[in-house]
Amino acid sequence: LANSETLDTFKILIATDIHLGYLEKDAVRGNDTFVTFDEIMKCAKQNEVDFVLLGGDLFHDNKPSRKAMHNCMEALRKYCMGDKPILFEVLSDQAVNFGNSKFPWVNYQDENLNISIPVFSVHGNHDDPTGADGLCALDLLSCAGMLNHFGRSLSVEKLEISPVLLQKGSTQIALYGIGSIPDERLYRMFVNNQVTMLRPREDENSWFNLFVIHQNRSKHGATNYIPEQFLDDFLDLVVWGHEHECKIAPVRNEQQLFYITQPGSSVVTSLSPGEAVKKHIGLLRVKGRKMNLQKIPLHTVRQFLIQDITLMDYPDIFSPEQPNVTHKVQAFCQQKVEEMLEEAEKERLGNPQTPEKPLIRLRVDYSGGFESFNTMRFSQKFVDRVANPKDLLHFTRQREAKDGMRDEGIDFEALLSRPSSEVLQLRVEDLVKEYFQTAEKNMQLSLLTEQGMGKAVQEFVDKEERDAIEELISYQLEKTQRYLRERHVEASEEKIDEEVRYSHGDVTLHLHSTFPSTQGYITVNTQHEAFTPTQRTSEKQQPTAYTILQ
C-alpha cells in the first residue's frame, strides 16, 4: 500500500493538540507553537495530502490573541490555498455536517475560494464554543473559508453523529467526529444510550470508518474519562485527541476490534513524563478497507528531558544527619542537570531546526528528613542554557502531600503560597466545590448549585467570559421566579425562603449541568433517510489490516 499512490488512495495528515499561542509572551518559548504549526502544514503540502485532519485544541486559549490568530491564518493561507485539484468528493448532506456555519459546505467547493488542501477539525476543550452565541475560534476560521469545523453538537441531552462521507476513486471514508464535551456529561450520555452514530444505508460494509474524539482517554475519576469500549465496534480507526503523550502507532482494542492512534501534542505544555516522549504527526493512507500509518517526527519541537530522583535511594552519598548535607544535595542535583543538558546537546547535533535551549525538569523527592533549598538561586546557574529556568527543579513529598489533602481538604492560604506551576494544575471548578463543601452553613448556596457556579467561574477564569457568572445568576433567578409563580407561593420572604430550600436541587435547579454557555441548546432528533443508527453487536468483520512505517 505504501508504494501504490493511486487515484483510489486517500492521503491524510493527522495531528492533534497544537495549542497555538501557548506561552506566546515568553521571551524564549513564545514562537514555539507557531514554528511547529508551520512545519506541520509544510509537511502536508510536501506530501501532497488530500486533506489535513486535526483532533482539537488548535488554539491554547479560548479567545486567541491577534498574534495567534494571525500566525494560524498565515500558515493556512500559505500552505492550503492554490491551484492543486481536489481529487475526492463529499457525498453526504453538507447542510447536516456543517449546519452551524453560515456557509454549510466544504470550503474547497466555495466558488470564491481556491483551496488546494482542505483542513477538517473538531474543537477541543481549550478552543470550545462559549458565550451566548456558542462560537469558538474555529468558527472564525470556518467563516473565513480556511477550515472546515465539524463534530459540533447542539444538544446537551443526546448526541447524534452524522458522518462526513468522502469518496476518492473506489475508496470511501465515513468521517465521524465529536468536539470536546465535559467528560462526565458524555460518559453519562453513553451509559444512557443517548449517543447514536449514523451509518450509510447503502453498502455500509464498504466504508472505512474514521472517528475523531477529544476526551480523556486515561481514567481521571469514576466518570471523568471515556472508556474505549463505549465506542461503536464498526469503527476502523479512532484518532484520539486531548491526551498529550505521543502514542501514534495504532493499537488494536481487542474487545471492539478497532485501532486507536493517539498522536499527542506538538508542543510541551506541562513538565510531565508523558510530554517527554518524542513528538510525531501521522501520514495516514487509506485504500478500500486497508490503512497504513507513517510516523513523521517533528524537528522543530523543543527538546524536553525529565528525571526523577529520590534522595533516600543514595545513602552512600548523603544522609540527613550529615553536616552540610544540603550543599551535597545541591551539588548532586547540579550534576544531574549537567548530564541532561549534555544528552540534549548530543540529540540536537545535526538538526538545526531544533531550538537551542532545551526544557529540563529534575523532580527531587526529599522525604526522609532532608531539607529543600532555594530553587530560584539554583536555577540562576542555568538561566542561559535552559528554556525553563523557573521550573527547572521541583521538590516533592508525594506521600505526605496526599495524606494531608485527604484529611484536611484545600487550605486556600497555603494554596496562594504554592509555586505557580502547581496552582495551574488545579481545576477551578474543584476549588469552588471544595470551598462550599467546607464553608459554614450560613455560607452555603441556596439558590445556585455548586456545579453550576463551578462551571461559571471556570468560564470566567479560563475562557475570559466576563458575563458568565452574571448570566448564570440571571438565568437561575428567572427560572426560580417562574417556578414560584407557577406554584402560587405567597409573596413573603419566609414563604419564598422555605420554598427555595425545599426545591433546591430538585425542580428549580434540575439543570442537567446547564449553565449560560449551554443556554439555547435544543435537542436534535433528526432521522436522515440516507443513514441508519448503528446496532451494537458482538460480531465484527475482518479487522482492518495496517502497517506502520518508521
Side-chain angles (χ1 to χ4, degrees):
L1 178 62
N3 297 321
S4 60
E5 298 296 339
T6 70
L7 294 177
D8 298 324
T9 303
F10 270 98
K11 293 174 66 177
I12 308 165
L13 190 86
I14 295 176
T16 68
D17 297 272
I18 295 170
H19 287 272
L20 288 173
Y22 175 71
L23 289 184
E24 62 181 316
K25 295 183 180 180
D26 187 280
V28 178
R29 304 162 66 184
N31 288 320
D32 284 7
T33 58
F34 308 131
V35 172
T36 301
F37 183 55
D38 187 89
E39 179 188 3
I40 292 171
M41 299 312 298
K42 183 178 181 180
C43 181
K45 186 170 184 177
Q46 289 175 339
N47 284 277
E48 298 181 337
V49 301
D50 291 298
F51 64 90
V52 176
L53 182 60
L54 302 179
D57 281 354
L58 175 59
F59 294 98
H60 183 72
D61 294 316
N62 191 264
K63 296 181 178 178
S65 68
R66 276 179 282 190
K67 178 182 178 181
M69 183 61 75
H70 180 271
N71 277 275
C72 178
M73 298 177 75
E74 179 184 350
L76 291 174
R77 178 169 177 171
K78 180 179 178 182
Y79 295 111
C80 297
M81 290 189 170
D83 295 326
K84 184 176 80 71
I86 305 296
L87 300 179
F88 69 91
E89 56 183 330
V90 181
L91 304 181
S92 52
D93 184 353
Q94 298 184 51
V96 175
N97 300 141
F98 311 109
N100 296 290
S101 173
K102 296 293 184 180
F103 307 94
W105 53 80
V106 70
N107 62 346
Y108 76 83
Q109 292 182 349
D110 194 307
E111 60 183 12
N112 299 311
L113 301 172
N114 205 17
I115 304 296
S116 59
I117 302 179
V119 179
F120 293 86
S121 180
V122 298
H123 62 259
N125 57 304
H126 279 257
D127 50 14
D128 61 329
T130 59
D133 296 321
L135 295 174
C136 66
L138 296 189
D139 292 320
L140 301 183
L141 296 175
S142 175
C143 187
M146 293 184 165
L147 178 145
N148 302 291
H149 181 200
F150 75 108
R152 286 196 57 170
S153 172
L154 293 179
S155 173
V156 297
E157 296 181 351
K158 65 178 299 185
L159 187 60
E160 190 174 76
I161 309 168
S162 185
V164 182
L165 301 181
L166 311 173
Q167 180 169 344
K168 183 181 181 183
S170 60
T171 299
Q172 297 176 312
I173 292 181
L175 177 60
Y176 297 85
I178 301 179
S180 178
I181 297 175
D183 288 292
E184 295 90 344
R185 182 192 301 166
L186 185 57
Y187 186 103
R188 184 171 63 247
M189 292 167 75
F190 270 113
V191 169
N192 294 333
N193 293 318
Q194 294 169 332
V195 179
T196 305
M197 300 184 75
L198 303 178
R199 299 185 68 183
R201 287 191 185 277
E202 298 181 3
D203 302 322
E204 67 176 30
N205 295 328
S206 66
W207 294 83
F208 182 88
N209 299 292
L210 178 60
F211 181 46
V212 188
I213 186 172
H214 189 98
Q215 304 291 154
N216 280 333
R217 184 181 178 191
S218 55
K219 190 173 183 179
H220 294 274
T223 61
N224 197 19
Y225 76 115
I226 303 301
E228 296 174 8
Q229 62 267 25
F230 278 9
L231 307 183
D232 283 282
D233 60 3
F234 72 86
L235 295 171
D236 295 299
L237 179 65
V238 177
V239 178
W240 207 298
H242 185 61
E243 300 286 356
H244 280 207
E245 183 176 354
C246 182
K247 297 180 179 179
I248 200 165
V251 176
R252 188 181 187 213
N253 182 295
E254 296 299 336
Q255 181 177 345
Q256 301 296 84
L257 302 182
F258 51 61
Y259 290 91
I260 298 176
T261 176
Q262 181 179 302
S265 66
S266 60
V267 62
V268 176
T269 61
S270 65
L271 302 178
S272 59
E275 294 270 24
V277 179
K278 300 302 179 185
K279 305 292 188 182
H280 293 79
I281 54 176
L283 181 58
L284 176 67
R285 293 177 175 88
V286 178
K287 184 178 182 182
R289 294 295 303 278
K290 294 184 178 181
M291 70 176 180
N292 159 281
L293 185 64
Q294 178 183 349
K295 296 168 58 175
I296 301 178
L298 292 171
H299 299 292
T300 59
V301 175
R302 192 176 296 276
Q303 295 167 287
F304 174 40
L305 286 81
I306 185 170
Q307 187 175 348
D308 293 324
I309 59 173
T310 302
L311 298 182
M312 288 191 300
D313 293 343
Y314 300 90
D316 298 337
I317 303 178
F318 35 63
S319 67
E321 293 79 18
Q322 288 178 335
N324 298 323
V325 64
T326 303
H327 292 291
K328 292 183 179 181
V329 171
Q330 190 168 341
F332 182 75
C333 292
Q334 185 171 341
Q335 177 189 343
K336 292 295 182 182
V337 173
E338 291 286 356
E339 291 174 358
M340 285 193 281
L341 283 169
E342 184 177 346
E343 180 184 348
E345 183 61 27
K346 288 180 180 179
E347 290 182 4
R348 198 176 67 86
L349 289 176
N351 187 4
Q353 292 180 286
T354 302
E356 183 178 352
K357 295 180 181 180
L359 296 165
I360 301 292
R361 181 72 150 182
L362 183 64
R363 302 193 298 190
V364 182
D365 187 338
Y366 67 112
S367 304
F370 292 95
E371 293 184 0
S372 61
F373 51 83
N374 191 307
T375 58
M376 295 300 294
R377 190 177 304 160
F378 176 85
S379 300
Q380 286 299 313
K381 302 174 183 177
F382 304 97
V383 70
D384 294 324
R385 300 172 63 191
V386 301
N388 61 317
K390 294 181 180 179
D391 300 312
L392 174 63
L393 192 64
H394 180 59
F395 285 101
T396 61
R397 275 180 173 172
Q398 294 181 351
R399 297 189 189 92
E400 297 174 16
K402 287 182 180 178
D403 293 341
M405 286 291 289
R406 189 182 299 114
D407 295 338
E408 302 173 13
I410 295 179
D411 183 343
F412 287 90
E413 292 185 6
L415 176 65
L416 294 175
S417 63
R418 291 192 200 176
S420 59
S421 58
E422 291 185 39
V423 175
L424 289 174
Q425 296 177 5
L426 293 169
R427 301 199 317 163
V428 174
E429 58 267 42
D430 291 340
L431 293 176
V432 173
K433 182 178 180 181
E434 183 75 23
Y435 174 81
F436 286 113
Q437 284 180 345
T438 58
E440 297 179 4
K441 188 173 182 180
N442 62 345
M443 295 294 291
Q444 295 288 341
L445 292 173
S446 59
L447 186 62
L448 305 175
T449 62
E450 295 168 7
Q451 184 179 16
M453 179 60 84
K455 292 289 185 182
V457 174
Q458 181 196 23
E459 295 266 309
F460 180 85
V461 174
D462 292 346
K463 301 174 181 177
E464 299 181 11
E465 285 294 330
R466 298 180 180 179
D467 300 326
I469 298 175
E470 181 181 350
E471 288 179 358
L472 170 72
I473 294 173
S474 299
Y475 174 74
Q476 187 57 52
L477 185 60
E478 179 184 347
K479 193 178 180 77
T480 305
Q481 289 171 340
R482 185 167 63 249
Y483 171 79
L484 293 173
R485 284 195 297 268
E486 290 173 354
R487 293 181 62 86
H488 305 290
V489 176
E490 180 183 334
S492 65
E493 186 173 340
E494 293 79 8
K495 292 290 185 181
I496 292 175
D497 286 345
E498 180 182 348
E499 192 65 34
V500 168
R501 282 195 300 271
Y502 171 77
S503 62
H504 183 64
D506 186 22
V507 181
T508 61
L509 300 180
H510 189 56
L511 301 180
H512 298 288
S513 302
T514 300
F515 51 100
S517 67
T518 61
Q519 281 191 58
Y521 279 9
I522 59 173
T523 301
V524 180
N525 188 21
T526 306
Q527 288 293 337
H528 308 289
E529 294 183 0
F531 297 98
T532 178
T534 61
Q535 299 295 326
R536 297 181 184 272
T537 61
S538 57
E539 297 181 358
K540 166 89 170 173
Q541 304 167 18
Q542 187 67 22
T544 305
Y546 80 94
T547 57
I548 305 171
L549 298 183
Q550 301 295 337

